[in-house]
Amino acid sequence: MAATQEEIVAGLAEIVNEIAGIPAEDVKPEKSFTDDLDVDSLSMVEVVVAAEERFDVKIPDDDVKNLKTVRDATEYILKHQG
Amino acid sequence: MNATNRTVVVTGIGATTPLGGDSASTWEGLVAGRSGVRLLEEEWAQDLPVRMAARVAVEPTESIPRPQARKLDRSAQFALVAAREAWADAGFTARAGEDASVNPDRLGAIVASGIGGVTTLLGQYDTLLEKGFRRVSPHTVPMLMPNGPAANVGLEVNARAGVHTPVSACASGSEAVGYGIEMVRTGRADVVIAGGTEAALHPLPIAAFANMMAMSKNNEDPQGASRPFDVSRDGFVMGEGSGLIVLESEEHARRRGARVYAEAVGQGISADSHDIVQPEPSGNGIAHALQNLTSDTTLVPAEIAHINAHATSTPQGDLAEIRALRKVFGDDVDHMAVSATKSMTGHLLGGAGGVETVATLLALHHRTAPPTINIDELDPEADADIVRGEARELPATGRIAALNDSFGFGGHNMVLAFRTV
């Protein structure tokens, strides 16, 4: 069962909260992982791996650099989820 | 600015140990003769030949927020806790540069570990086997590298004159302090934060040390298991934690009006070149370090009032150290109050030299030698004035000096000397 856009944003918020300690309610689509959410380059790898597991999606390393904002990640997952 | 033989002083102290989450509570525990050793309750410990250890009294995650803590190996967490205390204790109010009294380009950080991020390495290997390579944390490398604690402390205080990690097993922490003293003495830095850290309470290191018959197996009496200089000693008890100090040129400390604990007089270094793990039994290797200490520094044996012995509670090592002291200092040993604080803290491996430097400095500061606990029957060959059972007052007036001995597998011998000012 594919996740909805809202479910993906909420899931990413939980993941970011777990990894960077940012309150889940502050994780909004327009936020940048690195500039707004304290997710450094290594922690971004953790976010990606957690998102892959949660949403049954593969995010190749080459695509990770295009995921600047929560919206970028949400749209990527919507399009590629299994 | 760059003199070659500057006087070095200690202006800050920090620690997190099995006796307390800071240096004050650690000192209180040491003077009270409290043991920090406990039975290990963890399931993984139940089948090991050694089921006790000295865990830190306060978990570092009580003061380090989770998002930061999860990127730090436990050894780096300890170092960060000790660094924050030492830095504030030295009177600095912010990172170097933001606190204008210290220039980041003239600040160094030297933090040693004997083993490095061993719990990270082994934990991530478990993850690799159980969940596959994709789940191995991207933070693994900066967490397991032995210079991780030094680098993180350097980042914390903004050290740009150099960040270093000497590794010499159980002498590592003292080697770091010695390196720091040299860095200030020779003018490479005005201020250095230095010491050691270790977090190796994991079944593999415990099994490995136990199998080389270096550890006490006295699981029936954990608090009595670490018993340096007692006739029935049967090995060390592993501890964890960190101790760091702030070293500073006397001129720099005076200029900013810092409180001075003691002068860092210098160090004596040698190597046994005898055996990879056994100490040279006659004490000649250690004696060589003590001779270098007195010939390379202004230290006079007559002023030494206290020695924080390396004394890990192994049958051979404890006596080699005493033989060396007698060999070099002769009758002067009789006025040196010798304390083995590992009887209370356990053996912190690469953290030991840092924590015992803190203990040595506080002994000078309070003019009190902490006790060696658990000596029911003193080894007759331990021919020195060993402080047994209860703490003892050191001479209340006059200039006194104290030594911190640290020796490591590989034959590394380090002796540090401090003196009241």
Side-chain angles (χ1 to χ4, degrees):
Chain A
M1 177 94 121
T4 65
Q5 186 165 345
E6 290 71 30
E7 285 167 345
I8 294 169
V9 173
L12 289 171
E14 270 180 42
I15 290 167
V16 169
N17 173 257
E18 166 77 12
I19 289 168
I22 300 289
E25 59 270 26
D26 293 349
V27 182
K28 301 198 171 105
E30 69 276 13
K31 299 279 181 163
S32 154
F33 287 106
T34 50
D35 298 340
D36 302 321
L37 300 175
D38 280 354
V39 177
D40 61 23
S41 61
L42 295 184
S43 296
M44 189 64 198
V45 180
E46 289 187 285
V47 170
V48 165
V49 172
E52 284 184 337
E53 285 204 347
R54 185 163 184 141
F55 301 114
D56 189 22
V57 60
K58 281 274 165 271
I59 309 177
D61 291 349
D62 284 348
D63 290 346
V64 172
K65 61 179 181 298
N66 300 321
L67 309 181
K68 306 278 190 216
T69 64
V70 175
R71 178 175 289 118
D72 295 341
T74 305
E75 285 171 1
Y76 189 97
I77 293 164
L78 266 178
K79 197 166 152 192
H80 294 91
Q81 64 186 336
Chain B
M1 186 123 185
N2 287 5
T4 54
N5 197 13
R6 310 194 302 173
T7 300
V8 185
V9 295
V10 179
T11 55
I13 288 174
T16 183
T17 75
L19 299 179
D22 60 13
S23 60
S25 53
T26 295
W27 177 248
E28 201 179 308
L30 287 174
V31 172
R34 232 170 50 218
S35 170
V37 181
R38 302 282 181 274
L39 270 181
L40 289 167
E41 307 287 347
E42 290 90 339
E43 206 185 323
W44 57 252
Q46 301 316 310
D47 292 331
L48 291 173
V50 172
R51 295 186 297 281
M52 62 195 160
R55 277 212 181 279
V56 289
V58 178
E59 280 298 313
T61 44
E62 288 192 17
S63 59
I64 302 175
R66 224 185 73 83
Q68 184 180 18
R70 60 194 296 285
K71 294 193 246 181
L72 297 170
D73 181 74
R74 190 170 171 83
S75 63
Q77 294 175 10
F78 294 155
L80 203 57
V81 170
R84 286 174 177 169
E85 185 196 350
W87 192 247
D89 188 51
F92 297 121
T93 54
R95 307 171 81 215
E98 290 164 33
D99 181 327
S101 69
V102 53
N103 176 354
D105 293 340
R106 303 282 303 158
L107 170 66
I110 326 286
V111 183
S113 159
I115 307 185
V118 65
T119 58
T120 294
L121 175 64
L122 296 169
Q124 290 300 317
Y125 187 59
D126 290 342
T127 300
L128 175 72
L129 295 181
E130 289 161 15
K131 298 177 178 169
F133 85 92
R134 187 70 172 153
R135 291 291 296 276
V136 171
S137 168
H139 302 291
T140 302
V141 171
M143 289 172 74
L144 72 82
M145 61 192 197
N147 54 315
N152 279 292
V153 168
L155 282 167
E156 175 78 8
V157 298
N158 201 17
R160 296 184 189 164
V163 171
H164 306 282
T165 303
V167 177
S168 48
C170 303
S172 302
S174 286
E175 192 161 355
V177 173
Y179 196 125
I181 294 171
E182 282 305 286
M183 207 167 159
V184 176
R185 189 181 70 79
T186 57
R188 254 186 76 204
D190 294 325
V191 181
V192 170
I193 185 162
T197 187
E198 201 79 83
L201 296 181
H202 177 285
L204 192 136
I206 291 177
F209 278 114
N211 285 350
M212 66 195 296
M213 305 208 285
M215 295 183 83
S216 171
K217 296 185 175 70
N218 190 2
N219 298 301
E220 290 70 39
D221 179 18
Q223 305 219 332
S226 183
R227 44 199 312 112
F229 303 124
D230 183 88
V231 286
S232 66
R233 66 192 183 278
D234 68 334
F236 76 84
V237 175
M238 198 186 291
E240 62 172 4
S242 175
L244 298 184
I245 64 170
V246 174
L247 295 155
E248 192 164 354
S249 77
E250 183 184 37
E251 184 196 347
H252 193 272
R254 190 173 290 156
R255 200 163 57 230
R256 66 182 188 91
R259 176 259 334 267
V260 171
Y261 281 100
E263 177 190 357
V265 182
Q267 60 196 304
I269 308 172
S270 76
D272 278 357
S273 279
H274 166 76
D275 185 89
I276 192 66
V277 291
Q278 297 296 336
E280 200 286 312
S282 72
N284 280 337
I286 299 167
H288 186 203
L290 292 166
Q291 281 153 355
N292 287 338
L293 173 71
T294 51
S295 61
D296 295 353
T297 70
T298 57
L299 185 79
V300 180
E303 64 188 348
I304 303 171
H306 170 58
I307 295 176
N308 188 305
H310 182 65
T312 61
S313 184
T314 61
Q316 284 206 34
D318 292 11
L319 290 183
E321 181 173 9
I322 296 297
R323 289 185 188 118
L325 290 171
R326 198 48 92 175
K327 202 167 287 189
V328 176
F329 296 135
D331 290 345
D332 275 325
V333 172
D334 296 334
H335 62 71
M336 302 175 186
V338 177
S339 304
T341 49
K342 288 186 183 78
S343 61
M344 296 170 279
T345 63
H347 187 1
L348 277 65
L349 311 173
V355 167
E356 286 156 29
T357 291
V358 167
T360 306
L361 286 161
L362 289 173
L364 279 181
H365 185 65
H366 296 288
R367 290 183 178 254
T368 302
T372 307
I373 65 168
N374 297 326
I375 303 179
D376 293 331
E377 189 183 345
L378 184 67
D379 187 324
E381 288 189 69
D383 177 24
D385 181 12
I386 289 157
V387 183
R388 291 173 63 175
E390 289 187 358
R392 188 197 300 172
E393 287 181 11
L394 295 171
T397 55
R399 199 167 74 162
I400 55 171
L403 308 186
N404 173 26
D405 291 351
S406 295
F407 317 124
F409 282 171
H412 311 272
N413 303 311
M414 278 293 310
V415 184
L416 298 168
F418 302 93
R419 182 159 60 196
T420 55
V421 291

